[in-house]
Amino acid sequence: STSQFLDALKDKAPIPALEKLSKEEKGSGSALAGLNGAAIAIDKKDWAVAITAYKNVIENKSIEKTYKDLATIQMVSLQLDHDEKITGEDLLKSLSPVVTDQKSPWNSKAIFISALIKASKNNDLAGAKADLDTLSSMTNLPASFMDQVKALSEVYKIKMGSK
């Protein structure tokens, strides 16, 4: 319920309270508790706790796919930045369901992150550039996002030319 959610946010230890609530609730209540717990963990730079919170959202069968996709995007982004042991292959595997689902509102962000993974973890600039080309062909993306796509594409093009 809303009051339980607010109480968990006010708790002296909000992350465990939100984690507990996320496990007890179903659907969007569970998702919001888990996503907020992850956000608080990120604010505290507790990457492992945030990643676990996102995994719990992804694995919860009662949560809508949109929330799971958001949790996937956030989790993979954190892992890319803060988990030196994880492989590019594992990150791409986690991201794959969102990359391949063109109806997901998180699809374009997933493709962008895929490009980052391919370039930084897998040293696959051609694959990264292909992802960015896919994004460049989409007509419904915000101008600011397209600016990021174009800029990164230029960087990869220059790097590919220097090899």
Side-chain angles (χ1 to χ4, degrees), residues 115-128:
L116 295 174
I117 294 165
K118 288 174 181 174
S120 65
K121 284 277 192 184
N122 295 0
N123 200 24
D124 177 12
L125 293 173

Side-chain angles (χ1 to χ4, degrees), residues 61-120:
K61 292 184 185 343
S62 76
I63 293 177
E64 285 181 45
K65 186 177 180 328
T66 300
Y67 292 119
K68 290 180 181 207
D69 288 355
L70 170 58
T72 298
I73 294 288
Q74 295 295 95
M75 179 188 75
V76 170
S77 296
L78 279 180
Q79 290 173 315
L80 177 60
D81 291 342
H82 301 288
D83 185 349
E84 293 176 16
K85 293 178 184 173
I86 197 158
T87 66
E89 183 180 328
D90 287 339
L91 290 171
L92 291 171
K93 183 177 177 186
S94 294
L95 201 56
S96 177
V98 188
V99 168
T100 58
D101 181 3
Q102 294 180 357
K103 292 183 181 177
S104 171
W106 302 104
N107 173 261
S108 57
K109 182 73 172 175
I111 294 170
F112 189 82
I113 294 168
S114 172
L116 295 174
I117 294 165
K118 288 174 181 174
S120 65

Side-chain angles (χ1 to χ4, degrees), residues 1 4-5 8 16-31 33-34 56 60 62-63:
S1 77
Q4 290 174 306
F5 179 70
L18 288 165
E19 183 179 343
K20 180 178 184 279
L21 187 60
S22 182
K23 288 178 181 173
E24 292 171 355
E25 292 290 314
K26 299 282 183 233
S28 61
S30 175
N56 290 339
N60 186 325
S62 76
I63 293 177

